[in-house]
Amino acid sequence: DVYKRQVLDTPVKVLMSTDLTTVSPEDSLEMAAGLMVKKDVGALPVIKDGVLLGIITERDFLSSIFR
């Protein structure tokens, strides 16, 4: 269908968030989880000295709890 193709061809930059909430690698998981709830986001970029080191997601939290 034409509409679906148009949506799938949309560049990521059209939908991406630019006002990001971030955490540092030294922040606690409790603090990061609280931020996710407060900001209603499912993932947080992990930044140190302005460099993206990774991302922490809701799935990461669940995996760590139920291993």
Side-chain angles (χ1 to χ4, degrees):
D1 135 272
V2 175
Y3 176 75
K4 184 176 180 181
R5 183 75 265 151
Q6 288 174 335
V7 170
L8 293 175
D9 288 341
T10 301
V12 170
K13 67 181 179 181
V14 172
L15 296 178
M16 72 182 191
S17 300
T18 56
D19 184 24
L20 302 177
T21 300
T22 64
V23 292
S24 76
E26 292 78 24
D27 289 333
S28 71
L29 291 177
E30 180 179 16
M31 192 279 281
L35 265 179
M36 290 173 125
V37 171
K38 181 179 179 183
K39 299 290 186 168
D40 193 26
V41 295
L44 295 169
V46 181
I47 306 286
K48 183 171 185 173
D49 299 326
V51 176
L52 176 66
L53 300 179
I55 188 166
I56 183 108
T57 67
E58 292 173 334
R59 183 180 183 102
D60 294 330
F61 284 105
L62 290 173
S63 293
S64 69
I65 293 168
F66 293 106
R67 278 194 190 147

